[in-house]
């Protein structure tokens, strides 16, 4: 339960990995099959995972449902039911799992997705199966937040936590900052257009007195806030496409791509971005999407 002990365990693990694995490991620890900026998704729901588990574990639905009821989620539910890996099965490797995830994301055929999940599960021991399913479903439930992973990266590679977090705000993705930390190159962290920046999230306080105490005597200005959907918008000209060639993307708080959910915002911003002279305008907006009724 100790955050410090978790950090130390993770640091030791991350330090043991090579450059090609450390980024994948950091991302998997956060239950991310892909970097959020990639906009890739496994598109594998609980039904596919359940059927794959039933096939590999050889259990009926009633037994599995009973296990779900006892444990509350599929990962821990399958541990006591899991068979030993098939004889001669090669142990799973991080890059190999990532490769299968790429194949799962690339196919829209549900049966093909299920068989790919089965191919991974057949090589898992019980604890491996637990965490593989957690990563696939995007919910690790280990008490390891992304902040703890950042702390572990700092400890693993002798960097300051502040330096890791500053780099993360610029590069966005955990795997990218992990590779920079591995190479002792956090100072080379740079903003990449259309890769969401780390969000500057506020911390709630319950009273005005508490807020004043947090600010430690500094001057402050208070304003009303309209609550909406936290989002980040990136806009930039596209080379070689003239004045009309402007790319606009919207990202959710979780860094998922939501551009096509808000065509009115995108078109309005695109028109503005085109008006910046010959080269157009490039910018990032970080704020709230707030719905408004205009007119009567």
């Amino acid at each position: 339960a100790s955050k410090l002990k978790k950090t130390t365990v993770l640091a030791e693990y991350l330090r043991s990995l090579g450059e090609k694995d450390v980024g994948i490991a950091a991302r998997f620890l956060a239950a991310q099959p892909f970097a959020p900026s990639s906009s890739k998704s496994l598109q594998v729901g609980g039904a596919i995972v359940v059927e794959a588990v039933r096939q590999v574990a050889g259990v009926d639905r009633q037994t599995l449902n009973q296990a779900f009821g006892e444990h509350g989620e599929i990962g821990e539910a399958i541990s006591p039911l899991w068979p030993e890996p098939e004889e001669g099965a090669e142990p799973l490797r991080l890059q190999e799992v990532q490769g299968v995830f790429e194949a799962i994301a690339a196919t829209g055929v549900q049966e093909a997705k299920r068989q790919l999940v089965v191919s991974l599960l057949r090589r898992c021991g019980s604890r491996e199966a637990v965490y593989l399913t957690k990563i696939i479903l995007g919910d690790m439930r280990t008490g390891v937040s992304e902040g703890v992973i950042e702390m572990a990266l700092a400890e693993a590679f002798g960097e300051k936590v502040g330096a890791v977090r500053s780099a993360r705000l610029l590069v966005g993705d955990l795997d990218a900052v992990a590779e920079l930390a591995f190479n002792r190159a956090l100072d080379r962290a740079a903003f990449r257009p259309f890769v969401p920046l780390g969000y500057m999230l506020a911390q709630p306080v319950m009273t005005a007195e508490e807020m004043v105490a947090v600010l430690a005597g500094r001057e402050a200005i208070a304003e009303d806030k309209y609550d909406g959907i936290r989002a980040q918008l990136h806009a930039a000209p596209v080379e070689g496409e003239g004045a009309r060639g402007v790319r606009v993307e919207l990202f959710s708080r979780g860094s998922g791509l939501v551009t096509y959910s808000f065509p009115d915002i995108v078109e309005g911003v695109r028109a503005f971005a085109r008006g910046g002279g010959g080269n157009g305008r490039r910018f990032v907006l970080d704020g709230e999407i707030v719905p408004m009724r205009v007119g009567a």
Side-chain angles (χ1 to χ4, degrees), residues 166-250:
S166 294
R168 175 82 190 286
L169 286 172
L170 283 171
V171 302
D173 297 328
L174 267 173
D175 49 2
V177 78
E179 290 165 10
L180 287 171
F182 178 92
N183 289 301
R184 278 65 172 182
L186 292 174
D187 59 336
R188 296 210 299 266
F191 166 63
R192 298 171 292 168
F194 306 106
V195 175
L197 293 160
Y199 282 92
M200 302 295 286
L201 300 176
Q203 299 297 319
V205 294
M206 296 300 107
T207 66
E209 291 77 13
E210 185 182 354
M211 180 176 66
V212 170
V214 168
L215 292 172
R218 289 172 289 174
E219 292 185 3
I221 298 173
E223 63 180 8
D224 293 326
K225 176 181 181 294
Y226 290 100
D227 198 20
I229 303 165
R230 189 65 188 272
Q232 194 173 104
L233 184 146
H234 293 223
V238 178
E239 292 185 12
E241 295 193 13
R244 297 186 60 81
V246 174
R247 180 181 173 189
V248 178
E249 302 289 3
L250 262 173

Side-chain angles (χ1 to χ4, degrees), residues 98-117:
Q98 188 66 64
V100 176
F101 282 173
E102 296 282 352
I104 292 172
T107 180
V109 180
Q110 297 301 295
E111 177 59 19
K113 289 180 183 289
R114 188 181 70 82
Q115 289 301 331
L116 287 165
V117 174

Side-chain angles (χ1 to χ4, degrees), residues 57-125:
V59 296
D60 57 52
R61 187 174 294 276
Q62 182 177 354
T63 300
L64 202 52
N65 287 341
Q66 183 178 348
F68 290 164
E70 293 173 358
H71 295 273
E73 52 98 11
I74 188 170
E76 296 298 338
I78 67 179
S79 182
L81 305 173
W82 205 254
E84 291 298 315
E86 293 183 351
E87 187 175 350
E90 289 290 324
L92 288 173
R93 305 294 182 193
L94 288 167
Q95 293 177 59
E96 184 180 13
V97 173
Q98 188 66 64
V100 176
F101 282 173
E102 296 282 352
I104 292 172
T107 180
V109 180
Q110 297 301 295
E111 177 59 19
K113 289 180 183 289
R114 188 181 70 82
Q115 289 301 331
L116 287 165
V117 174
V118 166
S119 72
L120 288 174
L121 288 172
R122 286 198 187 282
R123 293 169 55 188
C124 288

Side-chain angles (χ1 to χ4, degrees), residues 137-191:
L137 296 174
D139 186 5
M140 287 293 272
R141 299 194 189 190
T142 57
V144 174
S145 66
E146 293 187 18
V148 171
I149 298 170
E150 291 170 349
M151 290 167 60
L153 287 168
E155 184 175 326
F157 302 113
E159 301 284 0
K160 293 181 178 179
V161 175
V164 173
R165 289 178 174 162
S166 294
R168 175 82 190 286
L169 286 172
L170 283 171
V171 302
D173 297 328
L174 267 173
D175 49 2
V177 78
E179 290 165 10
L180 287 171
F182 178 92
N183 289 301
R184 278 65 172 182
L186 292 174
D187 59 336
R188 296 210 299 266
F191 166 63

